[in-house]
Amino acid sequence: VQTAAFLAKIHHAKLVVVHVMESSTAIYHNFVRHFKTGEEIVANGAYKETVRKEIEQRCSRYLEDHDIIVTAGLPWEAISKCARKQSADLIVLGPQEEGQDHSGQPTVTEGTKSTTKGVIWSAHCPVMLVNGPVSEKKLLFKRIMVALDFSENCRYALQFAARVTPAPDATRFVFHLKPCFREESRRDREIYLADQKEQLELYCQGI
């Protein structure tokens, strides 16, 4: 929400905050788990208003021109529908944390992975995934990296990176990974990399 609010401020855009109350059953979407007690309840109008006020309170220091929408259902589907209805130009998602792995890094839930994947493949606009705090200053995008595999979706990502509002002195990096095989000679690898770099130059032309 903080990152989306900063972006909205920079671009003079309206911010729409969406919360999907995930249903515990695929049949009756209004049967949800209470966000404080964990008790399964029917999400009536009064409960939705309670959730909306909770979001307003938690996010009040970031929010200026905004709407808050609380709905029930399958998260990726509800988010995508809401984005289309609102004619959103950008969807910002934050993965939910579920403890830490052996290295101390936060882990994400399987449900979050499926939500993110569902939104990405069904969205009509770019999707940004924010995995940590971002300052307003950093959102001026001075160094933008685009990882490519020559697919059509990567072409869209490259176009987005080219058109997003950057800082005046911004640099864009185009990255492509070549798998390394033991049987390859260093000479063969260098020839392949030179060829791939040439392909990248052609791929980026006009963008």
mmCIF file of all heavy atoms in Angstrom, residues 7 10-11 138-142 144 160-168 170 172:
data_model
loop_
_atom_site.group_PDB
_atom_site.id
_atom_site.type_symbol
_atom_site.label_atom_id
_atom_site.label_comp_id
_atom_site.label_asym_id
_atom_site.label_seq_id
_atom_site.Cartn_x
_atom_site.Cartn_y
_atom_site.Cartn_z
ATOM 1 N N LEU A 7 3.528 5.831 -5.644
ATOM 2 C CA LEU A 7 3.387 5.869 -7.102
ATOM 3 C C LEU A 7 2.202 6.750 -7.508
ATOM 4 O O LEU A 7 2.288 7.519 -8.466
ATOM 5 C CB LEU A 7 3.193 4.454 -7.646
ATOM 6 C CG LEU A 7 4.453 3.593 -7.759
ATOM 7 C CD1 LEU A 7 4.081 2.152 -8.040
ATOM 8 C CD2 LEU A 7 5.376 4.126 -8.842
ATOM 9 N N ILE A 10 3.246 10.375 -7.175
ATOM 10 C CA ILE A 10 4.178 10.798 -8.231
ATOM 11 C C ILE A 10 3.439 11.023 -9.549
ATOM 12 O O ILE A 10 3.708 11.970 -10.278
ATOM 13 C CB ILE A 10 5.295 9.739 -8.415
ATOM 14 C CG1 ILE A 10 6.218 9.735 -7.194
ATOM 15 C CG2 ILE A 10 6.103 10.007 -9.687
ATOM 16 C CD1 ILE A 10 7.168 8.543 -7.141
ATOM 17 N N HIS A 11 2.470 10.137 -9.852
ATOM 18 C CA HIS A 11 1.785 10.182 -11.144
ATOM 19 C C HIS A 11 0.423 10.881 -11.075
ATOM 20 O O HIS A 11 -0.329 10.857 -12.052
ATOM 21 C CB HIS A 11 1.608 8.759 -11.686
ATOM 22 C CG HIS A 11 2.911 8.099 -12.044
ATOM 23 N ND1 HIS A 11 3.550 8.322 -13.237
ATOM 24 C CD2 HIS A 11 3.691 7.236 -11.356
ATOM 25 C CE1 HIS A 11 4.668 7.612 -13.273
ATOM 26 N NE2 HIS A 11 4.780 6.951 -12.138
ATOM 27 N N LYS A 138 13.216 6.187 -4.174
ATOM 28 C CA LYS A 138 13.636 5.044 -5.005
ATOM 29 C C LYS A 138 12.663 4.768 -6.144
ATOM 30 O O LYS A 138 13.013 4.103 -7.121
ATOM 31 C CB LYS A 138 13.790 3.788 -4.140
ATOM 32 C CG LYS A 138 15.064 3.771 -3.324
ATOM 33 C CD LYS A 138 15.292 2.408 -2.694
ATOM 34 C CE LYS A 138 16.642 2.365 -1.991
ATOM 35 N NZ LYS A 138 16.899 1.044 -1.380
ATOM 36 N N LEU A 139 11.446 5.261 -6.035
ATOM 37 C CA LEU A 139 10.457 5.031 -7.082
ATOM 38 C C LEU A 139 10.641 5.960 -8.275
ATOM 39 O O LEU A 139 9.840 5.942 -9.198
ATOM 40 C CB LEU A 139 9.041 5.157 -6.514
ATOM 41 C CG LEU A 139 8.632 3.979 -5.637
ATOM 42 C CD1 LEU A 139 7.325 4.267 -4.928
ATOM 43 C CD2 LEU A 139 8.513 2.714 -6.457
ATOM 44 N N LEU A 140 11.724 6.732 -8.272
ATOM 45 C CA LEU A 140 12.072 7.514 -9.462
ATOM 46 C C LEU A 140 12.846 6.650 -10.458
ATOM 47 O O LEU A 140 13.198 7.104 -11.539
ATOM 48 C CB LEU A 140 12.889 8.753 -9.059
ATOM 49 C CG LEU A 140 12.084 9.807 -8.311
ATOM 50 C CD1 LEU A 140 12.993 10.912 -7.799
ATOM 51 C CD2 LEU A 140 10.988 10.386 -9.199
ATOM 52 N N PHE A 141 13.148 5.403 -10.086
ATOM 53 C CA PHE A 141 13.703 4.394 -10.990
ATOM 54 C C PHE A 141 14.946 4.870 -11.741
ATOM 55 O O PHE A 141 14.901 5.178 -12.921
ATOM 56 C CB PHE A 141 12.644 3.940 -12.005
ATOM 57 C CG PHE A 141 11.420 3.344 -11.391
ATOM 58 C CD1 PHE A 141 10.164 3.864 -11.658
ATOM 59 C CD2 PHE A 141 11.505 2.262 -10.537
ATOM 60 C CE1 PHE A 141 9.021 3.321 -11.094
ATOM 61 C CE2 PHE A 141 10.373 1.707 -9.963
ATOM 62 C CZ PHE A 141 9.136 2.235 -10.243
ATOM 63 N N LYS A 142 16.080 4.886 -11.047
ATOM 64 C CA LYS A 142 17.336 5.297 -11.681
ATOM 65 C C LYS A 142 18.010 4.135 -12.419
ATOM 66 O O LYS A 142 18.746 4.352 -13.378
ATOM 67 C CB LYS A 142 18.293 5.855 -10.623
ATOM 68 C CG LYS A 142 17.896 7.244 -10.132
ATOM 69 C CD LYS A 142 19.001 7.842 -9.296
ATOM 70 C CE LYS A 142 18.671 9.275 -8.925
ATOM 71 N NZ LYS A 142 19.752 9.917 -8.136
ATOM 72 N N ILE A 144 17.007 0.434 -13.991
ATOM 73 C CA ILE A 144 15.930 -0.511 -14.297
ATOM 74 C C ILE A 144 16.516 -1.728 -15.012
ATOM 75 O O ILE A 144 17.194 -1.590 -16.028
ATOM 76 C CB ILE A 144 14.855 0.136 -15.190
ATOM 77 C CG1 ILE A 144 14.257 1.370 -14.491
ATOM 78 C CG2 ILE A 144 13.750 -0.870 -15.532
ATOM 79 C CD1 ILE A 144 13.345 2.199 -15.366
ATOM 80 N N PHE A 160 7.432 -1.817 -21.226
ATOM 81 C CA PHE A 160 7.038 -1.154 -19.979
ATOM 82 C C PHE A 160 8.240 -0.436 -19.357
ATOM 83 O O PHE A 160 8.147 0.715 -18.931
ATOM 84 C CB PHE A 160 6.468 -2.172 -18.989
ATOM 85 C CG PHE A 160 6.063 -1.575 -17.672
ATOM 86 C CD1 PHE A 160 4.886 -0.857 -17.548
ATOM 87 C CD2 PHE A 160 6.858 -1.732 -16.550
ATOM 88 C CE1 PHE A 160 4.506 -0.300 -16.333
ATOM 89 C CE2 PHE A 160 6.493 -1.177 -15.330
ATOM 90 C CZ PHE A 160 5.312 -0.463 -15.221
ATOM 91 N N ALA A 161 9.394 -1.113 -19.329
ATOM 92 C CA ALA A 161 10.612 -0.522 -18.760
ATOM 93 C C ALA A 161 11.053 0.706 -19.549
ATOM 94 O O ALA A 161 11.580 1.665 -18.991
ATOM 95 C CB ALA A 161 11.733 -1.550 -18.733
ATOM 96 N N ALA A 162 10.807 0.674 -20.861
ATOM 97 C CA ALA A 162 11.192 1.803 -21.713
ATOM 98 C C ALA A 162 10.278 3.001 -21.506
ATOM 99 O O ALA A 162 10.712 4.145 -21.641
ATOM 100 C CB ALA A 162 11.163 1.374 -23.177
ATOM 101 N N ARG A 163 9.028 2.742 -21.170
ATOM 102 C CA ARG A 163 8.034 3.813 -21.101
ATOM 103 C C ARG A 163 7.750 4.323 -19.695
ATOM 104 O O ARG A 163 7.155 5.390 -19.535
ATOM 105 C CB ARG A 163 6.724 3.330 -21.736
ATOM 106 C CG ARG A 163 6.861 3.092 -23.233
ATOM 107 C CD ARG A 163 5.685 2.332 -23.795
ATOM 108 N NE ARG A 163 5.874 2.039 -25.210
ATOM 109 C CZ ARG A 163 5.093 1.242 -25.918
ATOM 110 N NH1 ARG A 163 4.063 0.660 -25.345
ATOM 111 N NH2 ARG A 163 5.343 1.024 -27.188
ATOM 112 N N VAL A 164 8.116 3.550 -18.670
ATOM 113 C CA VAL A 164 7.839 3.980 -17.301
ATOM 114 C C VAL A 164 8.601 5.279 -17.025
ATOM 115 O O VAL A 164 9.692 5.492 -17.536
ATOM 116 C CB VAL A 164 8.250 2.876 -16.289
ATOM 117 C CG1 VAL A 164 9.758 2.707 -16.218
ATOM 118 C CG2 VAL A 164 7.680 3.164 -14.914
ATOM 119 N N THR A 165 8.000 6.160 -16.237
ATOM 120 C CA THR A 165 8.614 7.462 -15.968
ATOM 121 C C THR A 165 9.865 7.281 -15.106
ATOM 122 O O THR A 165 9.773 6.898 -13.945
ATOM 123 C CB THR A 165 7.625 8.382 -15.233
ATOM 124 O OG1 THR A 165 6.425 8.476 -15.999
ATOM 125 C CG2 THR A 165 8.215 9.765 -15.043
ATOM 126 N N PRO A 166 11.050 7.554 -15.678
ATOM 127 C CA PRO A 166 12.285 7.352 -14.918
ATOM 128 C C PRO A 166 12.839 8.665 -14.370
ATOM 129 O O PRO A 166 12.322 9.740 -14.654
ATOM 130 C CB PRO A 166 13.224 6.803 -15.983
ATOM 131 C CG PRO A 166 12.798 7.553 -17.231
ATOM 132 C CD PRO A 166 11.320 7.890 -17.075
ATOM 133 N N ALA A 167 13.909 8.557 -13.603
ATOM 134 C CA ALA A 167 14.672 9.738 -13.224
ATOM 135 C C ALA A 167 15.407 10.235 -14.477
ATOM 136 O O ALA A 167 15.623 9.467 -15.413
ATOM 137 C CB ALA A 167 15.669 9.366 -12.131
ATOM 138 N N PRO A 168 15.790 11.518 -14.506
ATOM 139 C CA PRO A 168 16.441 12.074 -15.706
ATOM 140 C C PRO A 168 17.703 11.322 -16.129
ATOM 141 O O PRO A 168 18.010 11.232 -17.313
ATOM 142 C CB PRO A 168 16.776 13.510 -15.279
ATOM 143 C CG PRO A 168 15.806 13.811 -14.195
ATOM 144 C CD PRO A 168 15.579 12.525 -13.472
ATOM 145 N N ALA A 170 18.389 8.044 -15.686
ATOM 146 C CA ALA A 170 18.130 6.604 -15.534
ATOM 147 C C ALA A 170 18.905 5.761 -16.545
ATOM 148 O O ALA A 170 19.178 6.189 -17.657
ATOM 149 C CB ALA A 170 16.642 6.330 -15.684
ATOM 150 N N ARG A 172 18.912 1.691 -18.161
ATOM 151 C CA ARG A 172 18.172 0.429 -18.266
ATOM 152 C C ARG A 172 19.142 -0.687 -18.629
ATOM 153 O O ARG A 172 19.938 -0.544 -19.550
ATOM 154 C CB ARG A 172 17.063 0.541 -19.303
ATOM 155 C CG ARG A 172 15.946 1.497 -18.892
ATOM 156 C CD ARG A 172 14.979 1.753 -20.042
ATOM 157 N NE ARG A 172 13.904 2.656 -19.658
ATOM 158 C CZ ARG A 172 14.015 3.990 -19.679
ATOM 159 N NH1 ARG A 172 15.151 4.554 -20.036
ATOM 160 N NH2 ARG A 172 12.988 4.739 -19.328
#
